[in-house]
Amino acid sequence: MCLTMSIFSQEKIDIAFLNAPILDVLKHTESNYKVKFSYDSNIIKEVYFTFNKKKCHLEELLTEIETQVSLQFNKVDDRYYYISVFKESKFNNYNLLKEVQISNYVTLGINKNKNGSISILPQQLGVLPGLTEPDVLESLKIIPGVQSPNETASGIYIRGGTPDQNLIYWDGIKMYYSGHFFGTLSAFNPYTTKKITLSKSGTQARYGNRISGVIDIKTQENIPSKVTGGFGFNMTHFDAFLKIPLSKKVAFTTSFRRSFADLINTFTFDKLSKRVFQTFDANQERRIINKSVPFERDNRFYFADYTAKLVIKPSDNESLSFNFLYTKNKLTNNFKIPSYQDDYLDDLNITNRGLSFLWNKKLSTNLTQNFKAYYSNFRLNYTGKYNYINNYLIRHSIKNNSVRDLGFSYNINYSLNSKTNFLFGYDFLSNETSYKLNYKADINSDNVINTLQEDSGTNNTHSFFTEYLYDNNDWRINSGIRLNYFDKINKTVIEPRLYIEKKINNGFSVKTSLEQKHQTLSQIIEFQTSSLGFDLENQVWAQVNDNNIPLQKSFQFSLGTVYNRDGWKIDFEPYLKYISGMTSQTRGYNDQTTDFSNGKGEIFGIDVLINKKIGNYRTWINYSYTKNKFKFIDLENKFFPANHDITNYFSWSHAFKFNNFEFSFGWKHRTGNPYTDVRQFIINPSSGTPTIVLNTDNINAKRLPKYHRLDTSVTYSFNFSKRWKAKLGFSILNIYNRKNILRRTFTAIPVVNNDNNQVIYQLGKIDKLSLGTTPNLVLRISF
């Protein structure tokens, strides 16, 4: 749709473009501003543009086009311009535009590529239900097959895979912690992000060492003609970013975000805190046998992230970038019961640092090389110290976990012709992982318990990969093979990858994919230092070995159809997925027992997307059917539902744009999470010690009530001046305040028997609830 409104003067014009072909935009611009453009028609194919402004100057319009679609306007005189692609786009952004198969696959800014992957462009993204501004990971959840059973941004489950099975890159840096505030928000600044590429199946062979989805995040690389930037805040954090041209060939970009809950408490952060800490706080309060006893709590938390990027363009055919990322989450909790002389102190620090160097060069018309080197460092340090009855009993917990990655990759791409490409490459990865779990208990300075569990190791992975790409509009083939050697276990594996799409007619295609993957690193549940509770980081990264952590392996096959015509987009894709090499302590598979067992999984699913656009209104339905089953021989030698098994997931979303306003609302409805019920509650007659026996003959045999909620968002964009722009936004999560239960566990609760004043135990049910009604506000300024 393309509208050009009444002309006020030659310099200032009211305009509105909504997903308009760039060719139409250029023609209207020539007519209204009385200018002429010269350009190669190939660079404007399948390029779309959205912009709305009253009394718009020509310079403003051209700047907005340059920002959105990576075209550069070169001024000859006041009337004539010639258009080129930004320098980096000759081998980067330009290729991205050629790859797009379906634009606005779900909504504005979400496109489907010809290799089956999905690209999200945050700067073009329309408003989504419950979000006032784009969130890098939260935005993925409107795509079929991507879910979050625990209602967090970083808790991304892709087609039955758990978050630790996802491969996440940020400018080539492998990420091991992708959330803020225990996953409530994603750890990546959306305002410096250029593109997020999601692969659910048929993954390209260049990606390895994870068995589930791939999330590849890339930041902006253009060299602006002047300093640009922006800043803003919502009810959880504030942020700012700057893009500074140091010369015509060098630019520097930096960004910063920080929460302010440790300084100012807001209603939004209070709602998020209640959801995050509810079971943690309840566990502490259950220690108070007499409920009338007063207690004190000081719970402080903050998060921050910082990024920096230096881009150098020595020539039109070469680009270099140096990238840096730092994220931090810190929690300090102090809980006191003065009358008991009890003092509980928890201190948790999580940091993620990363560096990368990326070099792209076009060697000839048909030959391009890419080189990447990166370093990633994840650290988790937790200390818990509990003093009872004026230091008579002291419990001390220490947990340390670190992952250090050092790697490089080189590939060369040969374009045989406009339809055929070959890629050959080599990857090297050195991964050093260690964890230490120490628990001590002293009674009157006499050490009665002292346990230590630790492990460390380094695995070097050598990988060779090749890809073959063919596209003649009727056939699209993206095939490849990856050969991995893991030196720690002295094992070589082969991973085939394939994506094929056949065009039947102008609006209908069939597609199929398969892939095999392996993973040497896993997150396991630990129970020694789990005083923070299940939600607050009681899992650690552990390296594959020949003992209790096997090599994980997955195989996935899919076969589906795509319909794209007359404003309708319908994508239907069933799939099968097999996983082996799991353990019962692997994150997400068994949180009810400390028993250890190896197992395997079978996943069958169907992903459906129905999308319809009518003028400025767009609506889409996202449905997923999943049967996610696992078998652990020593626990229950039969298949049972995984902890994160969501049989039916349905969402219906709507988006509407009117002048400078954008509205969106959506409703979600899904099957409740499974849980294991209690078989027996036993009180030892001699000591009175309680024991809870779960029904491990029927693991996850019961379901929580169905989950559903309604979310909405609205934003308003306006300009202060020719250069300064602003946006106001308001959102509400869970409008009708549905009390959804996310997880159910059981505990023994001490109570005082009124008859004899002795302590007895009762079986208690602990329900982890979702967010209640949660409003949020945002204000953003850009220049």
Side-chain angles (χ1 to χ4, degrees), residues 657-671:
K657 184 176 177 63
F658 177 73
N659 292 333
N660 293 345
F661 287 93
E662 287 190 71
F663 305 89
S664 182
F665 66 94
W667 185 65
K668 301 177 183 178
H669 185 282
R670 65 170 172 83
T671 307

Side-chain angles (χ1 to χ4, degrees), residues 571-761:
D571 196 326
F572 176 83
E573 187 172 17
Y575 63 91
L576 283 169
K577 193 173 183 179
Y578 300 95
I579 301 175
S580 62
M582 299 186 307
T583 74
S584 57
Q585 286 185 317
T586 301
R587 177 182 178 180
Y589 296 123
N590 186 29
D591 62 344
Q592 302 284 338
T593 175
T594 59
D595 293 338
F596 186 90
S597 176
N598 290 333
K600 61 182 180 179
E602 293 182 2
I603 305 168
F604 170 72
I606 302 173
D607 292 338
V608 180
L609 173 69
I610 303 174
N611 185 349
K612 175 62 177 174
K613 179 179 177 297
I614 307 172
N616 289 349
Y617 167 73
R618 184 183 299 275
T619 183
W620 63 92
I621 290 175
N622 169 359
Y623 173 74
S624 293
Y625 172 84
T626 312
K627 291 299 289 183
N628 200 338
K629 304 181 299 181
F630 298 96
K631 179 195 290 187
F632 296 98
I633 297 174
D634 297 329
L635 296 181
E636 182 181 7
N637 194 15
K638 64 180 181 181
F639 282 100
F640 58 85
N643 287 350
H644 53 282
D645 175 59
I646 306 293
T647 307
N648 292 283
Y649 177 93
F650 173 88
S651 69
W652 188 12
S653 303
H654 311 263
F656 178 72
K657 184 176 177 63
F658 177 73
N659 292 333
N660 293 345
F661 287 93
E662 287 190 71
F663 305 89
S664 182
F665 66 94
W667 185 65
K668 301 177 183 178
H669 185 282
R670 65 170 172 83
T671 307
N673 295 345
Y675 73 96
T676 303
D677 204 1
V678 172
R679 182 171 61 191
Q680 196 173 12
F681 182 63
I682 304 171
I683 302 293
N684 189 313
S686 59
S687 62
T689 304
T691 301
I692 299 174
V693 181
L694 296 177
N695 189 3
T696 53
D697 292 334
N698 292 281
I699 296 176
N700 287 342
K702 290 197 172 183
R703 291 272 179 178
L704 297 172
K706 294 179 179 179
Y707 176 107
H708 56 86
R709 79 181 201 200
L710 180 68
D711 306 327
T712 189
S713 300
V714 59
T715 63
Y716 175 71
S717 301
F718 59 98
N719 294 343
F720 287 118
S721 65
K722 177 181 176 181
R723 188 177 180 188
W724 290 82
K725 304 175 184 179
K727 183 177 77 170
L728 282 170
F730 176 70
S731 66
I732 303 178
L733 294 172
N734 198 359
I735 293 176
Y736 51 80
N737 201 29
R738 165 74 176 180
K739 303 297 183 184
N740 292 302
I741 303 174
L742 301 176
R743 194 185 71 254
R744 175 169 291 170
T745 54
F746 301 91
T747 189
I749 301 176
V751 295
V752 177
N753 189 327
N754 294 328
D755 296 334
N756 53 20
N757 205 31
Q758 291 184 346
V759 176
I760 61 174
Y761 290 89

Side-chain angles (χ1 to χ4, degrees), residues 159 200-202 210-212 494-498 513-518 552-558 575-580 601-603:
R159 290 191 165 178
K200 298 187 295 182
S201 63
R210 288 291 191 277
I211 64 172
S212 191
I494 297 177
E495 300 178 344
R497 315 286 176 84
L498 178 66
S513 71
L514 65 84
E515 64 180 23
Q516 185 163 288
K517 297 180 179 179
H518 296 80
Q552 293 190 63
K553 176 181 177 180
S554 74
F555 176 81
Q556 183 180 180
F557 171 77
S558 68
Y575 63 91
L576 283 169
K577 193 173 183 179
Y578 300 95
I579 301 175
S580 62
E602 293 182 2
I603 305 168

Side-chain angles (χ1 to χ4, degrees), residues 2 50 86 97 107 132 156 158 171 479 519 522 601 640 707 732:
C2 175
T50 298
F86 268 122
L97 298 177
T107 185
T132 49
I156 300 293
I158 300 175
D171 269 347
S479 62
Q519 181 168 335
S522 303
F640 58 85
Y707 176 107
I732 303 178

Side-chain angles (χ1 to χ4, degrees), residues 118-120 122 135-138 140 156 167-175 177-179 186-199 207 214-221 257 307 309 323 325 356 358 372:
I118 296 168
S119 294
I120 298 177
D135 183 287
V136 170
L137 297 181
E138 191 72 39
L140 300 174
I156 300 293
L167 177 62
I168 302 179
Y169 278 119
W170 183 90
D171 269 347
I173 302 170
K174 192 177 293 185
M175 301 301 300
Y177 194 80
S178 58
S186 62
F188 311 107
N189 193 325
Y191 296 102
T192 58
T193 300
K194 179 180 72 174
K195 180 182 64 168
I196 308 144
T197 302
L198 169 70
S199 299
Y207 297 111
V214 175
I215 302 170
D216 194 351
I217 304 165
K218 294 182 179 178
T219 60
Q220 298 173 15
E221 295 180 329
R257 292 193 301 174
T307 69
K309 184 185 188 82
N323 311 282
L325 170 72
S356 70
L358 306 177
K372 175 185 75 173

Side-chain angles (χ1 to χ4, degrees), residues 302-568:
Y302 83 89
F303 63 79
D305 60 68
Y306 171 74
T307 69
K309 184 185 188 82
L310 181 69
V311 179
I312 304 172
K313 309 281 187 180
S315 67
D316 290 350
N317 295 324
E318 187 173 13
S319 173
L320 301 94
S321 69
F322 300 85
N323 311 282
F324 172 75
L325 170 72
Y326 173 78
T327 70
K328 181 179 180 65
N329 287 263
K330 181 175 177 57
L331 166 71
T332 301
N333 175 73
N334 197 344
F335 181 75
K336 294 182 179 180
I337 310 174
S339 59
Y340 292 169
Q341 296 179 302
D342 289 357
D343 190 1
Y344 308 81
L345 179 65
D346 296 283
D347 188 80
L348 176 66
N349 282 278
I350 304 172
T351 59
N352 213 130
R353 296 177 177 87
L355 294 165
S356 70
F357 167 68
L358 306 177
W359 177 34
N360 306 298
K361 185 170 184 178
K362 193 169 185 179
L363 303 174
S364 67
T365 305
N366 298 329
L367 204 61
T368 303
Q369 71 171 10
N370 297 278
F371 175 79
K372 175 185 75 173
Y374 81 93
Y375 171 76
S376 181
N377 187 345
F378 163 79
R379 288 186 176 275
L380 183 150
N381 295 303
Y382 166 73
T383 300
K385 190 172 183 180
Y386 302 161
N387 301 326
Y388 300 86
I389 315 174
N390 196 22
N391 292 330
Y392 177 78
L393 171 60
I394 300 176
R395 294 194 296 134
H396 196 192
S397 299
I398 296 176
K399 173 164 56 180
N400 300 318
N401 187 207
S402 69
V403 181
R404 286 187 290 272
D405 257 8
L406 179 65
F408 66 86
S409 174
Y410 178 82
N411 68 68
I412 189 164
N413 184 79
Y414 175 69
S415 179
L416 182 64
N417 51 49
S418 61
K419 301 176 182 178
T420 308
N421 280 271
F422 296 93
L423 183 138
F424 306 91
Y426 168 74
D427 265 347
F428 171 77
L429 168 65
S430 180
N431 180 279
E432 180 184 353
T433 308
S434 66
Y435 68 85
K436 177 182 178 181
L437 311 173
N438 188 207
Y439 175 75
K440 298 179 181 179
D442 294 284
I443 298 179
N444 201 17
S445 299
D446 183 18
N447 185 263
V448 294
I449 300 176
N450 189 349
T451 63
L452 176 65
Q453 180 183 343
E454 58 184 340
D455 186 37
S456 62
T458 300
N459 177 61
N460 295 320
T461 303
H462 301 268
S463 303
F464 296 90
F465 57 90
T466 182
E467 295 178 10
Y468 166 72
L469 296 92
Y470 177 77
D471 178 14
N472 70 349
N473 292 324
D474 289 331
W475 285 93
R476 299 185 182 99
I477 302 174
N478 187 346
S479 62
I481 192 164
R482 185 179 181 92
L483 178 69
N484 301 310
Y485 172 70
F486 309 117
D487 73 346
K488 186 177 181 183
I489 55 176
N490 191 25
K491 189 175 183 65
T492 301
V493 297
I494 297 177
E495 300 178 344
R497 315 286 176 84
L498 178 66
Y499 178 84
I500 300 176
E501 186 164 339
K502 176 66 172 73
K503 186 177 181 181
I504 306 301
N505 55 42
N506 287 334
F508 185 75
S509 302
V510 295
K511 59 180 179 176
T512 186
S513 71
L514 65 84
E515 64 180 23
Q516 185 163 288
K517 297 180 179 179
H518 296 80
Q519 181 168 335
T520 59
L521 202 63
S522 303
Q523 280 189 317
I524 60 173
I525 301 291
E526 61 88 10
F527 298 90
Q528 288 187 335
T529 62
S530 57
S531 48
L532 280 177
F534 181 85
D535 297 292
L536 304 187
E537 311 308 329
N538 73 329
Q539 62 275 340
V540 296
W541 287 102
Q543 190 73 254
V544 64
N545 55 41
D546 293 322
N547 184 18
N548 57 358
I549 303 178
L551 180 69
Q552 293 190 63
K553 176 181 177 180
S554 74
F555 176 81
Q556 183 180 180
F557 171 77
S558 68
L559 178 65
T561 60
V562 179
Y563 178 80
N564 181 27
R565 193 170 182 178
D566 301 328
W568 286 94

